[in-house]
Amino acid sequence: MLNINFNPFPVLETERLILRNVAHTDVQQMFEIRSNATTMQYIPRPLAKTIDDALGVINMMRGFTERNERINWAITEKGKDILMGVIGYPNIRPESHRGEVGYVMHHNYLRKGYASEALQAALDYGFDVMKLHSIEAIIQPPNTASVNLIEKAGFVREAYFKDYTYHNGQYLDQLVYSLIR
Ligand SMILES: CC(C)(COP(=O)(O)OP(=O)(O)OC[C@H]1O[C@@H](n2cnc3c(N)ncnc32)[C@H](O)[C@@H]1OP(=O)(O)O)[C@@H](O)C(=O)NCCC(=O)NCCS
Protein backbone atom coordinates (compact mmCIF):
# COMPACT_ATOMS: atom_id res chain seq x y z
CA MET A 1 0.00 0.00 0.00
CA LEU A 2 1.15 3.48 -0.89
CA ASN A 3 1.93 5.78 2.04
CA ILE A 4 1.70 9.43 1.00
CA ASN A 5 1.53 11.21 4.33
CA PHE A 6 3.77 14.19 5.00
CA ASN A 7 2.23 15.14 8.36
CA PRO A 8 4.22 15.27 10.55
CA PHE A 9 6.88 16.39 8.09
CA PRO A 10 9.46 13.65 7.50
CA VAL A 11 12.86 15.13 8.38
CA LEU A 12 15.64 13.08 6.78
CA GLU A 13 19.24 12.80 7.93
CA THR A 14 22.29 11.78 5.90
CA GLU A 15 25.98 11.79 6.73
CA ARG A 16 26.38 15.54 6.18
CA LEU A 17 22.84 16.83 5.70
CA ILE A 18 19.49 17.45 7.32
CA LEU A 19 16.55 17.57 4.93
CA ARG A 20 13.69 19.49 6.53
CA ASN A 21 10.56 21.37 5.47
CA VAL A 22 11.07 24.67 3.64
CA ALA A 23 10.32 27.57 5.99
CA HIS A 24 9.58 31.27 5.68
CA THR A 25 13.01 31.96 7.16
CA ASP A 26 14.53 30.42 3.99
CA VAL A 27 13.17 33.26 1.86
CA GLN A 28 16.50 34.98 1.11
CA GLN A 29 18.15 31.72 -0.01
CA MET A 30 15.07 30.74 -2.00
CA PHE A 31 15.10 34.15 -3.69
CA GLU A 32 18.78 33.78 -4.61
CA ILE A 33 18.02 30.40 -6.20
CA ARG A 34 14.82 31.38 -7.98
CA SER A 35 16.14 34.71 -9.29
CA ASN A 36 19.40 33.28 -10.66
CA ALA A 37 19.01 32.91 -14.42
CA THR A 38 21.86 30.40 -14.65
CA THR A 39 20.46 28.18 -11.90
CA MET A 40 16.98 28.37 -13.42
CA GLN A 41 18.12 27.94 -17.03
CA TYR A 42 16.68 24.43 -17.32
CA ILE A 43 13.82 24.77 -14.85
CA PRO A 44 10.70 25.93 -16.67
CA ARG A 45 9.41 28.18 -13.90
CA PRO A 46 9.17 31.98 -13.87
CA LEU A 47 12.21 33.76 -12.47
CA ALA A 48 11.62 35.38 -9.08
CA LYS A 49 11.87 39.16 -9.29
CA THR A 50 11.10 40.05 -5.68
CA ILE A 51 11.43 38.54 -2.22
CA ASP A 52 7.66 38.25 -2.28
CA ASP A 53 7.88 35.95 -5.31
CA ALA A 54 10.18 33.69 -3.30
CA LEU A 55 7.80 33.78 -0.35
CA GLY A 56 5.05 32.73 -2.74
CA VAL A 57 7.12 29.72 -3.81
CA ILE A 58 7.69 28.72 -0.18
CA ASN A 59 4.00 29.09 0.66
CA MET A 60 3.03 27.05 -2.38
CA MET A 61 5.48 24.28 -1.46
CA ARG A 62 4.30 24.18 2.14
CA GLY A 63 0.66 24.11 1.05
CA PHE A 64 1.19 21.14 -1.26
CA THR A 65 2.98 19.29 1.53
CA GLU A 66 0.25 20.03 4.08
CA ARG A 67 -2.30 18.60 1.65
CA ASN A 68 -0.12 15.51 1.02
CA GLU A 69 0.06 16.34 -2.69
CA ARG A 70 3.78 17.01 -3.12
CA ILE A 71 6.84 17.25 -0.93
CA ASN A 72 9.91 19.46 -0.98
CA TRP A 73 12.82 19.27 1.40
CA ALA A 74 15.20 22.12 2.22
CA ILE A 75 18.74 20.73 1.93
CA THR A 76 20.76 22.00 4.89
CA GLU A 77 24.17 21.19 6.28
CA LYS A 78 24.18 19.64 9.75
CA GLY A 79 24.66 22.33 12.39
CA LYS A 80 24.10 25.24 9.96
CA ASP A 81 20.40 25.21 9.08
CA ILE A 82 20.86 27.33 5.93
CA LEU A 83 18.91 26.26 2.85
CA MET A 84 21.53 25.19 0.29
CA GLY A 85 19.10 23.63 -2.15
CA VAL A 86 15.71 22.01 -2.55
CA ILE A 87 14.81 18.46 -3.48
CA GLY A 88 11.44 16.83 -3.66
CA TYR A 89 8.61 15.17 -5.49
CA PRO A 90 6.89 17.97 -7.43
CA ASN A 91 4.61 15.48 -9.10
CA ILE A 92 3.19 12.32 -7.53
CA ARG A 93 0.84 9.95 -9.34
CA PRO A 94 -0.46 7.72 -6.53
CA GLU A 95 -2.60 5.65 -8.91
CA SER A 96 0.58 4.58 -10.73
CA HIS A 97 2.78 4.41 -7.64
CA ARG A 98 5.08 6.82 -9.45
CA GLY A 99 6.70 10.11 -8.48
CA GLU A 100 8.82 12.69 -10.25
CA VAL A 101 11.91 13.83 -8.42
CA GLY A 102 13.19 17.39 -8.83
CA TYR A 103 16.16 19.27 -7.36
CA VAL A 104 18.04 22.54 -7.40
CA MET A 105 21.14 23.74 -5.56
CA HIS A 106 22.03 27.33 -4.65
CA HIS A 107 25.02 28.47 -6.75
CA ASN A 108 27.28 28.72 -3.69
CA TYR A 109 26.98 25.01 -2.93
CA LEU A 110 27.57 23.23 -6.23
CA ARG A 111 29.88 20.26 -6.83
CA LYS A 112 30.18 19.25 -3.20
CA GLY A 113 28.19 16.07 -3.63
CA TYR A 114 25.27 17.55 -1.70
CA ALA A 115 22.71 16.96 -4.47
CA SER A 116 23.81 13.32 -4.79
CA GLU A 117 23.60 12.80 -1.04
CA ALA A 118 20.17 14.46 -0.83
CA LEU A 119 18.94 12.55 -3.88
CA GLN A 120 19.84 9.23 -2.29
CA ALA A 121 17.85 10.14 0.83
CA ALA A 122 14.86 11.31 -1.24
CA LEU A 123 14.94 8.09 -3.29
CA ASP A 124 15.15 5.93 -0.17
CA TYR A 125 12.17 7.82 1.25
CA GLY A 126 10.26 7.44 -2.04
CA PHE A 127 10.77 3.70 -2.28
CA ASP A 128 10.89 2.65 1.37
CA VAL A 129 8.39 5.02 3.01
CA MET A 130 6.09 6.27 0.23
CA LYS A 131 6.29 2.79 -1.33
CA LEU A 132 6.57 4.13 -4.87
CA HIS A 133 7.16 1.58 -7.60
CA SER A 134 9.01 3.96 -9.92
CA ILE A 135 10.57 7.40 -9.83
CA GLU A 136 11.14 9.60 -12.86
CA ALA A 137 13.22 12.65 -13.65
CA ILE A 138 12.43 14.99 -16.52
CA ILE A 139 15.51 16.77 -17.79
CA GLN A 140 16.32 19.12 -20.66
CA PRO A 141 18.96 17.46 -22.87
CA PRO A 142 21.64 20.18 -22.50
CA ASN A 143 21.43 20.02 -18.67
CA THR A 144 24.59 17.94 -18.33
CA ALA A 145 24.87 18.41 -14.56
CA SER A 146 21.41 16.96 -14.01
CA VAL A 147 21.93 14.16 -16.54
CA ASN A 148 25.18 13.13 -14.85
CA LEU A 149 23.66 13.36 -11.38
CA ILE A 150 20.68 11.19 -12.28
CA GLU A 151 22.72 8.63 -14.22
CA LYS A 152 25.10 8.36 -11.26
CA ALA A 153 22.06 7.47 -9.14
CA GLY A 154 21.27 4.58 -11.47
CA PHE A 155 18.42 6.10 -13.47
CA VAL A 156 17.89 4.81 -17.01
CA ARG A 157 17.15 7.03 -19.98
CA GLU A 158 13.78 5.93 -21.33
CA ALA A 159 12.53 8.63 -23.62
CA TYR A 160 13.36 11.73 -25.56
CA PHE A 161 10.26 13.84 -26.04
CA LYS A 162 10.43 16.57 -28.65
CA ASP A 163 8.81 19.96 -27.94
CA TYR A 164 7.44 18.48 -24.72
CA THR A 165 7.23 21.68 -22.65
CA TYR A 166 6.17 25.18 -23.73
CA HIS A 167 7.99 27.85 -21.73
CA ASN A 168 8.85 31.48 -22.47
CA GLY A 169 7.66 31.22 -26.05
CA GLN A 170 9.71 28.10 -26.81
CA TYR A 171 9.01 24.40 -27.12
CA LEU A 172 11.56 22.44 -25.12
CA ASP A 173 12.72 18.87 -25.61
CA GLN A 174 12.76 16.71 -22.49
CA LEU A 175 14.52 13.51 -21.51
CA VAL A 176 12.65 11.12 -19.25
CA TYR A 177 14.75 9.04 -16.88
CA SER A 178 13.40 6.49 -14.49
CA LEU A 179 14.36 4.17 -11.72
CA ILE A 180 12.15 1.19 -11.03
CA ARG A 181 12.13 -0.43 -7.63
C1 LIG B 1 22.00 19.45 -11.05
C2 LIG B 1 22.47 19.99 -9.70
C3 LIG B 1 21.34 19.87 -8.68
C4 LIG B 1 23.68 19.17 -9.21
O1 LIG B 1 24.02 19.63 -7.90
P1 LIG B 1 25.43 19.38 -7.21
O2 LIG B 1 25.24 19.44 -5.74
O3 LIG B 1 26.42 20.28 -7.81
O4 LIG B 1 25.72 17.89 -7.63
P2 LIG B 1 26.80 16.90 -6.93
O5 LIG B 1 27.92 17.70 -6.36
O6 LIG B 1 26.08 15.99 -6.03
O7 LIG B 1 27.35 16.14 -8.19
C5 LIG B 1 26.86 14.87 -8.57
C6 LIG B 1 27.33 14.55 -9.96
O8 LIG B 1 26.61 15.34 -10.89
C7 LIG B 1 27.45 15.65 -11.99
N1 LIG B 1 27.60 17.10 -12.10
C8 LIG B 1 27.25 18.05 -11.19
N2 LIG B 1 27.49 19.28 -11.69
C9 LIG B 1 27.99 19.11 -12.92
C10 LIG B 1 28.40 19.99 -13.95
N3 LIG B 1 28.35 21.32 -13.77
N4 LIG B 1 28.84 19.46 -15.11
C11 LIG B 1 28.89 18.14 -15.31
N5 LIG B 1 28.50 17.23 -14.37
C12 LIG B 1 28.05 17.73 -13.19
C13 LIG B 1 28.77 14.97 -11.74
O9 LIG B 1 28.73 13.69 -12.32
C14 LIG B 1 28.76 14.88 -10.24
O10 LIG B 1 29.57 13.88 -9.75
P3 LIG B 1 31.16 14.15 -9.52
O11 LIG B 1 31.25 15.46 -8.79
O12 LIG B 1 31.57 12.98 -8.73
O13 LIG B 1 31.75 14.24 -10.89
C15 LIG B 1 22.92 21.47 -9.81
O14 LIG B 1 23.84 21.60 -10.87
C16 LIG B 1 21.80 22.46 -10.03
O15 LIG B 1 21.17 22.92 -9.10
N6 LIG B 1 21.52 22.82 -11.30
C17 LIG B 1 20.52 23.82 -11.62
C18 LIG B 1 19.12 23.34 -11.35
C19 LIG B 1 18.72 22.20 -12.26
O16 LIG B 1 18.98 22.21 -13.44
N7 LIG B 1 18.04 21.21 -11.67
C20 LIG B 1 17.62 20.02 -12.39
C21 LIG B 1 16.44 20.23 -13.26
S1 LIG B 1 16.06 18.74 -14.12
Side-chain angles (χ1 to χ4, degrees):
M1 262 303 283
L2 219 57
N3 173 30
I4 312 286
N5 180 8
F6 308 132
N7 300 285
F9 188 88
V11 175
L12 308 180
E13 183 178 340
T14 69
E15 198 185 323
R16 294 178 294 169
L17 306 172
I18 300 285
L19 307 192
R20 57 152 172 82
N21 201 357
V22 291
H24 292 142
T25 45
D26 298 320
V27 70
Q28 181 60 31
Q29 292 290 106
M30 185 66 89
F31 176 69
E32 289 172 19
I33 290 174
R34 285 287 184 137
S35 63
N36 185 311
T38 306
T39 303
M40 296 298 290
Q41 186 177 8
Y42 302 117
I43 300 182
R45 299 274 188 286
L47 272 184
K49 294 195 177 60
T50 64
I51 287 280
D52 236 37
D53 291 345
L55 202 56
V57 171
I58 291 172
N59 282 332
M60 190 188 66
M61 287 178 172
R62 291 179 60 93
F64 278 122
T65 303
E66 265 161 40
R67 297 190 299 275
N68 293 321
E69 291 170 4
R70 305 178 180 180
I71 185 164
N72 278 287
W73 287 274
I75 303 171
T76 71
E77 208 178 341
K78 275 184 187 168
K80 290 219 171 118
D81 203 35
I82 292 166
L83 181 148
M84 304 187 292
V86 179
I87 190 160
Y89 291 97
N91 189 359
I92 300 170
R93 286 198 288 128
E95 69 285 4
S96 299
H97 305 178
R98 187 171 176 96
E100 177 192 341
V101 71
Y103 37 78
V104 60
M105 294 301 298
H106 185 288
H107 56 269
N108 285 349
Y109 302 97
L110 296 171
R111 293 312 286 265
K112 294 175 187 296
Y114 289 146
S116 290
E117 198 168 319
L119 177 59
Q120 206 47 61
L123 296 179
D124 288 347
Y125 182 85
F127 286 129
D128 299 344
V129 182
M130 288 162 76
K131 308 283 186 203
L132 296 174
H133 174 69
S134 66
I135 297 173
E136 69 182 8
I138 300 179
I139 303 176
Q140 292 183 38
N143 192 354
T144 318
S146 184
V147 162
N148 289 346
L149 172 73
I150 214 73
E151 287 185 349
K152 239 177 121 178
F155 279 65
V156 173
R157 185 182 293 199
E158 289 188 341
Y160 187 117
F161 287 120
K162 293 189 175 179
D163 290 357
Y164 190 72
T165 305
Y166 184 69
H167 179 65
N168 276 351
Q170 276 188 307
Y171 296 98
L172 304 169
D173 293 354
Q174 299 284 4
L175 294 166
V176 177
Y177 276 86
S178 100
L179 188 61
I180 296 177
R181 179 152 49 157

